[in-house]
Amino acid sequence: MKSMKKSILLPLFAIFLLCNLSLNAQSNIEIQCTMSLEAITQVQPYDVDHPKQEETMELATTLISELNLVYDKVNNYILLGLAENLEAIQIAVDAAKLLGMNYSMFDADLEFIETLK
């Protein structure tokens, strides 16, 4: 009886897995933050003319660039260099925290990044 259940469940599981992979392959994931750099600077806790804005732009640019690289690699099943991208994102997030930057517009992307660790 147990072997019959296994012989039925195993092919069903394989079919489910293949369907899931094919659906994921068809739908590319992309960066969730759609704000422009200018919009990101406008939602900061410091004035637009504050000296921190230059570093904010650099950090936002780094985050957008690295996130796009991660999504591209994930969509193409490329693991080579992914760890370096994840590390660069973590460094940028740590720098944003020290700066007092509002980086909440990247929350959905950072939650996705956590699933890769």
Side-chain angles (χ1 to χ4, degrees), residues 22-42:
S22 68
L23 288 174
N24 286 340
Q26 291 175 356
S27 61
N28 286 338
I29 49 177
E30 57 188 34
I31 189 167
Q32 299 298 304
C33 175
T34 57
M35 293 177 72
S36 68
L37 290 175
E38 183 179 301
I40 291 172
T41 60
Q42 291 175 352

Side-chain angles (χ1 to χ4, degrees), residues 67-112:
L67 286 166
N68 279 321
L69 287 171
V70 167
Y71 285 121
D72 186 51
K73 287 179 180 181
V74 168
N75 286 331
N76 292 300
Y77 304 103
I78 299 171
L79 297 178
L80 186 64
L82 188 59
E84 289 85 6
N85 299 114
L86 297 178
E87 183 179 346
I89 290 168
Q90 187 60 57
I91 290 169
V93 168
D94 291 343
K97 288 177 184 176
L98 286 174
L99 186 65
M101 175 182 165
N102 172 8
Y103 60 94
S104 63
M105 63 286 304
F106 296 105
D107 282 350
D109 297 300
L110 296 174
E111 287 175 17
F112 173 74

Side-chain angles (χ1 to χ4, degrees), residues 52-64:
K52 289 183 177 183
Q53 288 292 6
E54 186 175 333
E55 193 172 352
T56 296
M57 294 270 293
E58 290 173 13
L59 289 171
T61 301
T62 298
L63 284 169
I64 291 168

